Amino acid sequence: EPAGTVGMRETESLEQQQQGGEDSKATVGQKGGEQTKDLSYNEWIKTCQESRTYAHNERLGGKAIELGAEKPPAFNKDTLFHPTVEAYATAHTTKASKDVARISEVTTEKKMFAPCMVGQLEGQFLKMMVQMQRANTVLDIGTFTGYSALSFAEGLGKDGKVVTIENDAKIAETADGLFKASSVADKIELLVGDAVQHMQKLLQQGKKFDLIFLDADKANYVKYYEIAMQGLLNKDGFIMADNSLCALVYREGDARRDRLHEFNELVSKDPRVEQVCLTLREGVTIIRPTPEFWASTANKQ
């Protein structure tokens, strides 16, 4: 589903991304290494970094945004980050495999909406998440041309499986061709059609997943989440919701912006889970059911 970022497509060069300009203000320590190399750490903090003391006031118990607002706060930008920040982070992230890079190339060649791809930075994050979790099964809701599904598949063990759902038959055809040409084709199952219907069918079949990735129609995130929590997760499995901070990035008045805000509020108030909303690309929320939730579901069985 559209990520909404205008300037941070993987197809842009590092130089293009950096043309947004640097901050005009820099500390001595950020500019002149020769002036600071002999300072102790405490001297460096006092001399070069004091201006940053309250730059992140939320760490110091500063006033946070209160839950319960009907609408998300105004945010008049198309991206969460200064272009140089994301370009620097991407440059220092493991590059995508040839198979995954091919997805980016084909998406661009076919003039599909490139922001729908998670891109190199988030793609590597997804791959490493399944590796660290030692996940064996992934449900990827919202295939697009396959960047996230293939990233997941490359991180799984030899018996791992990604089930990915795409509503658009034409886009699914492109993704299917890219999957079949990859080295992990046997790990990916592509379902075409309505995600809610497919999820309900998987639930009825007793299928369970170690990770469920929400990245389809933002207006339906609440539905996807509730179905996932009804029994699609393996014990100790978790949910990841992509583009959760598009509740800020999308323009005010956009219905999907409001639906994402409603989703964020719902998850934040749900006693069954704990969560962290990461400022990765346009927001990735990691949602983990609590031990009490798993205990309660075990008692019902």
Side-chain angles (χ1 to χ4, degrees), residues 14 34 44 77 81 101 106 119-120 130 139 146 153 171 191 216 246 248 264 282 291:
L14 182 65
E34 288 300 315
W44 172 76
K77 296 182 184 296
F81 292 107
V106 170
Q120 178 190 327
V130 296
L139 178 59
I171 293 174
L191 304 178
C246 281
L248 300 177
N264 291 336
E282 292 178 332

Side-chain angles (χ1 to χ4, degrees), residues 75-261:
F75 183 78
N76 299 316
K77 296 182 184 296
D78 288 324
T79 178
L80 297 176
F81 292 107
H82 188 291
T84 301
V85 176
E86 191 149 322
Y88 185 86
T90 300
H92 291 83
T93 295
T94 300
K95 301 296 182 280
S97 69
K98 289 182 180 179
D99 288 339
V100 173
R102 180 61 182 154
I103 290 176
S104 185
E105 293 167 5
V106 170
T107 302
T108 303
E109 289 168 4
K110 293 194 173 187
K111 295 182 168 43
M112 294 177 170
F113 189 55
C116 283
M117 293 185 297
V118 295
Q120 178 190 327
L121 184 66
E122 189 177 347
Q124 180 64 14
F125 172 76
L126 299 180
K127 178 181 177 180
M128 292 182 68
M129 284 296 290
V130 296
Q131 289 173 326
M132 291 185 292
Q133 179 70 6
R134 296 183 180 176
N136 195 52
T137 51
V138 175
L139 178 59
D140 174 44
I141 304 168
T143 313
F144 190 51
T145 48
Y147 205 114
S148 56
L150 199 56
S151 297
F152 282 131
E154 289 186 347
L156 294 175
K158 63 178 183 178
D159 297 322
K161 193 78 173 180
V162 177
V163 176
T164 183
I165 305 172
E166 174 55 47
N167 188 50
D168 189 304
K170 186 176 180 180
I171 293 174
E173 184 179 353
T174 297
D176 190 46
L178 289 162
F179 293 153
K180 288 176 178 175
S182 76
S183 63
V184 289
D186 60 328
K187 295 182 182 180
I188 303 174
E189 178 184 355
L190 174 62
L191 304 178
V192 182
D194 181 77
V196 169
Q197 293 178 9
H198 276 300
M199 290 178 73
Q200 290 172 334
K201 187 175 180 180
L202 290 167
L203 187 61
Q204 292 166 2
Q205 293 171 344
K207 302 291 186 182
K208 292 185 180 292
F209 301 89
D210 299 318
L211 167 59
I212 298 176
F213 185 60
L214 311 184
D215 193 23
D217 183 12
K218 310 311 172 193
N220 283 318
Y221 266 32
V222 170
K223 290 182 180 179
Y224 304 149
Y225 173 70
E226 292 295 358
I227 297 172
M229 292 293 291
Q230 287 171 17
L232 277 178
L233 281 174
N234 272 324
K235 187 178 183 303
D236 298 325
F238 62 104
I239 299 167
M240 293 173 63
D242 197 24
N243 306 122
S244 55
L245 290 179
C246 281
L248 300 177
V249 174
Y250 291 162
R251 294 179 181 179
E252 289 187 69
D254 189 308
R256 286 176 172 79
R257 184 183 202 263
D258 294 339
R259 298 296 84 76
L260 279 170
H261 177 64

